[in-house]
Amino acid sequence: MKLKQKAPESSPVFDENNETVECIRIVKENTERKEGEQQIRAIMDATPDMIHVISPDMEIIHRNSTSRVLFPQIKKGAHCYEALHKRDKVCAHCGVTKVFKDGKKHEHDSTIILPDGKKITVHSTSAPMFDGKGHVIATVEVLRDITERKQAEERLEETCAELEETNEKLQKAYEELKSLDELKTDIISNVSHELRTPITIIRGALDIAREEEDPGQRYKLLNLASSALARQNHIVGDLIEAASPRRGKSELKLDDVDLNQLLTLIHNEFEPLLKKEGIKMKIYIGEGLPSVHAEFDKLGHILRNLINNAIKFNKPGGSITIKAAEEGGAVEVCVTDTGIGIPKDELDKIFDHLYQSDGSSGRSYGGTGLGLAVVKELVEAHGGEITVKSTPGKGSTFCFTLPISGESDKQ
């Protein structure tokens, strides 16, 4: 392999027998060098990698058969950055350039463009060639096609990312299943307690009433059983609503509902309990309040749950105020009590299923923990919103909105 060097010229040198020994030695050395170059070329052509010998001017002065097959159009003396990378100047990260600067071997990955426009990724190893004085006279660059390996690595990274995402989803699903299992346990515990209590009261009151001769005492016992039955009916209603699939507005049996009429009806239902607890309830209906677009029974369930809570968490001698007025193109209903209130850090949790401010087994207040969750779902199914404001020790105000009759049809 010649690198623009000429064999030194020499004059014949004779021995004592007058024979030219020096010329013979030079011929022999040239022959050995050519044979060595041929062997090197054979080795270069045998490798599947592309091999280029590049001059300090970045010209390709020799290349092996692999390069010639892949780049048949490249001519001797072409600049490597133009022929291989389709650039008009030397690549900043090029290992060949670095070799000429520091005389050390360099490796890096790069992209080269084949004649058909296809891009392949290659691993480049550039090593220096020195002259007799230790100067770099050329760089040997070996380019190994690693396109498939890179693609495999990318696919592996994508697979790992997908597996990681799947693992996160499975972990989340596991946590949800775990939560559901705990939820199921809480439901069974709470519901069993809440259903058994009124049944026990009803059974005991009726057993005693059978043998009670005093009409006044018998009436009290029957009234006690009736109140317990109403409580159980209320719990069953919450369970049915909570177990039902999430309902959209279109699935409700919507009609024009007179809030004044409905609130009067509900007030009469709660009157015995209000008297028993010593709680006063006042209802204020805005003048000319329009009818609301709602399902009568579901709206009744919303109001009964809120009023029931206002009674349950109130104080002896407390009060409940219900106001209904037109507000911002809708009807807003607010239920205010003078009860124990709700801690600030629990306000965003009270609408969760089974959430109770006091979740211990010895809690002071009964309930399944489903009431407010059902209320929120029903209000939103009607296209409304529910909010709560509360001050611990002073009471709470629950407000919800409902569409006005006729207005929802215009939207």
Side-chain angles (χ1 to χ4, degrees), residues 128-157:
M129 291 180 65
F130 299 99
D131 61 10
K133 296 180 180 180
H135 298 142
V136 179
I137 58 173
T139 294
V140 177
E141 182 184 48
V142 180
L143 300 175
R144 174 164 294 179
D145 187 351
I146 59 170
T147 305
E148 291 186 1
R149 191 190 79 188
K150 279 290 184 181
Q151 291 174 346
E153 289 175 354
E154 291 174 358
R155 289 195 296 269
L156 180 60
E157 289 178 0

Short mmCIF file of all heavy atoms in Angstrom, two decimals, residues 128-157:
data_model
loop_
_atom_site.label_atom_id
_atom_site.label_comp_id
_atom_site.label_asym_id
_atom_site.label_seq_id
_atom_site.Cartn_x
_atom_site.Cartn_y
_atom_site.Cartn_z
N PRO A 128 -4.23 6.13 14.16
CA PRO A 128 -3.20 6.84 13.38
C PRO A 128 -2.22 5.89 12.68
O PRO A 128 -1.97 4.78 13.13
CB PRO A 128 -2.50 7.67 14.44
CG PRO A 128 -2.63 6.86 15.69
CD PRO A 128 -3.97 6.20 15.61
N MET A 129 -1.66 6.36 11.56
CA MET A 129 -0.53 5.71 10.89
C MET A 129 0.64 6.69 10.96
O MET A 129 0.50 7.87 10.60
CB MET A 129 -0.87 5.41 9.42
CG MET A 129 -1.91 4.33 9.24
SD MET A 129 -2.25 4.01 7.48
CE MET A 129 -0.66 3.36 6.95
N PHE A 130 1.78 6.21 11.46
CA PHE A 130 2.94 7.08 11.67
C PHE A 130 4.02 6.82 10.62
O PHE A 130 4.16 5.72 10.08
CB PHE A 130 3.53 6.84 13.06
CG PHE A 130 2.58 7.13 14.19
CD1 PHE A 130 1.89 6.09 14.82
CD2 PHE A 130 2.36 8.43 14.62
CE1 PHE A 130 1.02 6.34 15.86
CE2 PHE A 130 1.50 8.69 15.66
CZ PHE A 130 0.82 7.65 16.29
N ASP A 131 4.84 7.87 10.37
CA ASP A 131 6.03 7.67 9.54
C ASP A 131 7.20 7.34 10.45
O ASP A 131 7.03 7.13 11.67
CB ASP A 131 6.32 8.91 8.68
CG ASP A 131 6.58 10.16 9.53
OD1 ASP A 131 6.74 10.02 10.76
OD2 ASP A 131 6.63 11.27 8.96
N GLY A 132 8.40 7.28 9.87
CA GLY A 132 9.56 6.91 10.68
C GLY A 132 9.92 7.90 11.76
O GLY A 132 10.65 7.57 12.70
N LYS A 133 9.39 9.12 11.66
CA LYS A 133 9.70 10.15 12.65
C LYS A 133 8.57 10.34 13.67
O LYS A 133 8.62 11.27 14.48
CB LYS A 133 9.97 11.47 11.93
CG LYS A 133 11.19 11.42 11.02
CD LYS A 133 11.40 12.76 10.34
CE LYS A 133 12.63 12.70 9.41
NZ LYS A 133 12.86 14.01 8.72
N GLY A 134 7.58 9.50 13.62
CA GLY A 134 6.49 9.59 14.59
C GLY A 134 5.41 10.58 14.23
O GLY A 134 4.57 10.91 15.07
N HIS A 135 5.38 11.03 12.99
CA HIS A 135 4.34 11.95 12.55
C HIS A 135 3.16 11.16 11.97
O HIS A 135 3.36 10.14 11.31
CB HIS A 135 4.89 12.91 11.48
CG HIS A 135 6.00 13.78 11.99
ND1 HIS A 135 7.11 14.10 11.23
CD2 HIS A 135 6.20 14.38 13.20
CE1 HIS A 135 7.93 14.87 11.92
NE2 HIS A 135 7.39 15.03 13.14
N VAL A 136 1.95 11.67 12.21
CA VAL A 136 0.74 11.02 11.68
C VAL A 136 0.64 11.36 10.19
O VAL A 136 0.49 12.53 9.82
CB VAL A 136 -0.53 11.47 12.41
CG1 VAL A 136 -1.77 10.80 11.81
CG2 VAL A 136 -0.44 11.17 13.91
N ILE A 137 0.76 10.35 9.35
CA ILE A 137 0.69 10.59 7.91
C ILE A 137 -0.66 10.18 7.32
O ILE A 137 -0.97 10.54 6.20
CB ILE A 137 1.82 9.82 7.19
CG1 ILE A 137 1.71 8.32 7.50
CG2 ILE A 137 3.18 10.37 7.59
CD1 ILE A 137 2.68 7.47 6.69
N ALA A 138 -1.45 9.45 8.08
CA ALA A 138 -2.77 9.02 7.62
C ALA A 138 -3.56 8.45 8.79
O ALA A 138 -3.00 8.17 9.86
CB ALA A 138 -2.64 7.99 6.50
N THR A 139 -4.86 8.31 8.58
CA THR A 139 -5.72 7.70 9.59
C THR A 139 -6.46 6.52 8.96
O THR A 139 -6.98 6.63 7.85
CB THR A 139 -6.76 8.71 10.12
OG1 THR A 139 -6.09 9.74 10.81
CG2 THR A 139 -7.74 8.03 11.07
N VAL A 140 -6.46 5.41 9.67
CA VAL A 140 -7.23 4.25 9.25
C VAL A 140 -8.57 4.28 10.00
O VAL A 140 -8.60 4.28 11.23
CB VAL A 140 -6.50 2.93 9.54
CG1 VAL A 140 -7.38 1.74 9.15
CG2 VAL A 140 -5.17 2.87 8.81
N GLU A 141 -9.65 4.35 9.26
CA GLU A 141 -10.98 4.42 9.86
C GLU A 141 -11.74 3.14 9.53
O GLU A 141 -11.90 2.78 8.37
CB GLU A 141 -11.76 5.63 9.34
CG GLU A 141 -13.14 5.76 9.99
CD GLU A 141 -13.94 6.91 9.40
OE1 GLU A 141 -14.00 7.01 8.15
OE2 GLU A 141 -14.51 7.70 10.17
N VAL A 142 -12.19 2.46 10.59
CA VAL A 142 -12.98 1.24 10.43
C VAL A 142 -14.42 1.55 10.81
O VAL A 142 -14.69 2.01 11.93
CB VAL A 142 -12.43 0.10 11.31
CG1 VAL A 142 -13.28 -1.17 11.12
CG2 VAL A 142 -10.98 -0.18 11.00
N LEU A 143 -15.35 1.33 9.87
CA LEU A 143 -16.76 1.62 10.10
C LEU A 143 -17.54 0.31 10.16
O LEU A 143 -17.60 -0.44 9.19
CB LEU A 143 -17.32 2.49 8.97
CG LEU A 143 -16.65 3.86 8.78
CD1 LEU A 143 -17.23 4.55 7.55
CD2 LEU A 143 -16.83 4.72 10.01
N ARG A 144 -18.12 0.04 11.33
CA ARG A 144 -18.91 -1.18 11.52
C ARG A 144 -20.40 -0.84 11.56
O ARG A 144 -20.83 0.01 12.36
CB ARG A 144 -18.50 -1.89 12.81
CG ARG A 144 -19.36 -3.10 13.17
CD ARG A 144 -18.69 -3.95 14.20
NE ARG A 144 -17.47 -4.56 13.67
CZ ARG A 144 -16.66 -5.36 14.36
NH1 ARG A 144 -16.94 -5.63 15.63
NH2 ARG A 144 -15.57 -5.86 13.82
N ASP A 145 -21.19 -1.48 10.73
CA ASP A 145 -22.62 -1.22 10.66
C ASP A 145 -23.30 -1.78 11.93
O ASP A 145 -23.29 -2.98 12.18
CB ASP A 145 -23.22 -1.89 9.42
CG ASP A 145 -24.69 -1.53 9.21
OD1 ASP A 145 -25.29 -0.91 10.11
OD2 ASP A 145 -25.23 -1.87 8.14
N ILE A 146 -23.84 -0.88 12.74
CA ILE A 146 -24.51 -1.30 13.98
C ILE A 146 -26.00 -0.91 13.95
O ILE A 146 -26.63 -0.77 14.99
CB ILE A 146 -23.82 -0.69 15.22
CG1 ILE A 146 -23.83 0.85 15.12
CG2 ILE A 146 -22.41 -1.20 15.37
CD1 ILE A 146 -23.39 1.53 16.41
N THR A 147 -26.53 -0.72 12.76
CA THR A 147 -27.93 -0.29 12.62
C THR A 147 -28.88 -1.26 13.31
O THR A 147 -29.76 -0.84 14.08
CB THR A 147 -28.30 -0.17 11.13
OG1 THR A 147 -27.38 0.71 10.48
CG2 THR A 147 -29.71 0.38 10.98
N GLU A 148 -28.72 -2.55 13.04
CA GLU A 148 -29.62 -3.54 13.64
C GLU A 148 -29.47 -3.56 15.15
O GLU A 148 -30.46 -3.68 15.87
CB GLU A 148 -29.33 -4.92 13.05
CG GLU A 148 -29.74 -5.06 11.59
CD GLU A 148 -29.57 -6.48 11.08
OE1 GLU A 148 -29.15 -7.35 11.89
OE2 GLU A 148 -29.85 -6.73 9.90
N ARG A 149 -28.24 -3.42 15.62
CA ARG A 149 -28.02 -3.42 17.07
C ARG A 149 -28.70 -2.21 17.71
O ARG A 149 -29.33 -2.32 18.76
CB ARG A 149 -26.52 -3.40 17.38
CG ARG A 149 -26.20 -3.67 18.86
CD ARG A 149 -24.74 -3.40 19.16
NE ARG A 149 -24.49 -1.98 19.29
CZ ARG A 149 -23.27 -1.45 19.40
NH1 ARG A 149 -22.21 -2.23 19.32
NH2 ARG A 149 -23.12 -0.15 19.55
N LYS A 150 -28.53 -1.05 17.05
CA LYS A 150 -29.16 0.16 17.57
C LYS A 150 -30.67 0.03 17.59
O LYS A 150 -31.34 0.43 18.54
CB LYS A 150 -28.74 1.37 16.72
CG LYS A 150 -27.38 1.93 17.06
CD LYS A 150 -27.40 2.62 18.41
CE LYS A 150 -26.07 3.27 18.73
NZ LYS A 150 -26.08 3.93 20.06
N GLN A 151 -31.21 -0.53 16.51
CA GLN A 151 -32.65 -0.72 16.44
C GLN A 151 -33.13 -1.68 17.52
O GLN A 151 -34.17 -1.47 18.13
CB GLN A 151 -33.05 -1.23 15.05
CG GLN A 151 -32.87 -0.19 13.95
CD GLN A 151 -33.12 -0.76 12.57
OE1 GLN A 151 -33.19 -1.98 12.38
NE2 GLN A 151 -33.29 0.12 11.57
N ALA A 152 -32.31 -2.73 17.74
CA ALA A 152 -32.65 -3.69 18.79
C ALA A 152 -32.62 -3.02 20.17
O ALA A 152 -33.48 -3.27 21.02
CB ALA A 152 -31.69 -4.87 18.76
N GLU A 153 -31.61 -2.15 20.36
CA GLU A 153 -31.50 -1.43 21.63
C GLU A 153 -32.70 -0.50 21.82
O GLU A 153 -33.25 -0.41 22.92
CB GLU A 153 -30.20 -0.62 21.67
CG GLU A 153 -28.96 -1.48 21.81
CD GLU A 153 -27.67 -0.66 21.74
OE1 GLU A 153 -27.78 0.56 21.47
OE2 GLU A 153 -26.59 -1.22 21.95
N GLU A 154 -33.10 0.18 20.73
CA GLU A 154 -34.26 1.06 20.82
C GLU A 154 -35.53 0.28 21.11
O GLU A 154 -36.36 0.71 21.92
CB GLU A 154 -34.41 1.84 19.51
CG GLU A 154 -33.30 2.88 19.29
CD GLU A 154 -33.38 3.53 17.92
OE1 GLU A 154 -34.29 3.14 17.14
OE2 GLU A 154 -32.54 4.40 17.63
N ARG A 155 -35.66 -0.89 20.42
CA ARG A 155 -36.83 -1.72 20.70
C ARG A 155 -36.83 -2.21 22.14
O ARG A 155 -37.87 -2.28 22.79
CB ARG A 155 -36.87 -2.92 19.74
CG ARG A 155 -37.22 -2.55 18.30
CD ARG A 155 -37.60 -3.78 17.49
NE ARG A 155 -36.48 -4.69 17.36
CZ ARG A 155 -35.61 -4.67 16.37
NH1 ARG A 155 -35.72 -3.74 15.43
NH2 ARG A 155 -34.63 -5.54 16.30
N LEU A 156 -35.63 -2.54 22.63
CA LEU A 156 -35.51 -3.00 24.01
C LEU A 156 -35.89 -1.88 24.98
O LEU A 156 -36.59 -2.11 25.97
CB LEU A 156 -34.08 -3.46 24.29
CG LEU A 156 -33.79 -3.99 25.71
CD1 LEU A 156 -34.68 -5.20 26.00
CD2 LEU A 156 -32.32 -4.38 25.85
N GLU A 157 -35.43 -0.65 24.67
CA GLU A 157 -35.77 0.48 25.52
C GLU A 157 -37.28 0.72 25.51
O GLU A 157 -37.89 1.00 26.55
CB GLU A 157 -35.03 1.73 25.05
CG GLU A 157 -33.53 1.70 25.32
CD GLU A 157 -32.82 2.93 24.79
OE1 GLU A 157 -33.52 3.80 24.22
OE2 GLU A 157 -31.59 3.03 24.95
#
